[in-house]
Amino acid sequence: MTVRGLLPPFRDRAGVASSLGSEKQARSAEVERGGQAMDFRVRDPAKIRPFPGAQDGLRALARRAPQAQSAAVSWMESARPLATRLYGLRRRIATITVAAVAGLLFVHVMFGANGMVVYKQKRAEFESLQKRIAQEQKENEVYTQQIQGLKTDEKAIEKEAREQLRYARPGEYVYVPPVPANPLPATRSAKK
């Protein structure tokens, strides 16, 4: 049998499909691919092992069954005292396990990401924000009343014009207090 019939066709660097490239490469059973030569020759056919069949696997399993059985029996005999002792302590083990789970659950409920400590902090923050919202709403109502008064009440308009813009009626004088020339610098009470 030739190597040419076993291998899939390769493409050379020019993109031309060929089984092995040149005839010289076919005789030596080498293929050049990506700059590397690959050798497909079988040097010693006696070293090639055939694939095991299904019957061979069953035979090997049947041959090793007594060994596996004796290993299982010896393991069971060595584990039996421990299993008997654990069976006798099963109530204590269950009680300790339940207590440990309850303790972990308590710690999680108290100090977890959404635990009671975090809940109380969030609750206090919520209440302070509610107070601030109520204060801001009252302030907003005061401003709304001032705006409404400036839109409709002539006395409020006159008052704002006199105070903010320093307007006066004909014949009136507006007194403006003088601005101090040199304001006193703020003294520091804490010494460094």
Side-chain angles (χ1 to χ4, degrees), residues 51-163:
F51 289 111
Q55 297 297 326
D56 295 334
L58 291 175
R59 283 188 201 112
L61 185 65
R63 272 193 313 256
R64 293 185 181 149
Q67 294 170 348
Q69 184 178 6
S70 67
V73 167
S74 67
W75 181 81
M76 293 277 291
E77 289 302 319
S78 66
R80 189 177 309 271
L82 178 63
T84 305
R85 184 167 170 89
L86 286 177
Y87 186 75
L89 297 173
R90 69 185 183 277
R91 287 187 182 192
R92 287 185 184 171
I93 293 171
T95 304
I96 291 170
T97 304
V98 168
V101 168
L104 290 174
L105 187 61
F106 175 76
V107 169
H108 176 69
V109 166
M110 291 304 291
F111 304 108
N114 293 325
M116 290 299 292
V117 174
V118 174
Y119 172 75
K120 287 189 178 192
Q121 290 173 349
K122 296 291 182 182
R123 186 72 178 176
E125 183 181 353
F126 173 75
E127 289 174 0
S128 69
L129 289 174
Q130 287 290 0
K131 288 178 185 176
R132 185 172 172 197
I133 287 172
Q135 179 184 0
E136 295 292 331
Q137 284 177 343
K138 286 180 185 177
E139 188 177 323
N140 199 10
E141 287 175 11
V142 169
Y143 288 139
T144 304
Q145 289 175 356
Q146 284 180 354
I147 291 170
Q148 193 65 23
L150 289 173
K151 286 182 179 178
T152 58
D153 191 13
E154 290 183 14
K155 288 184 179 181
I157 295 171
E158 182 180 344
K159 180 183 174 192
E160 286 295 320
R162 287 176 178 269
E163 289 178 2

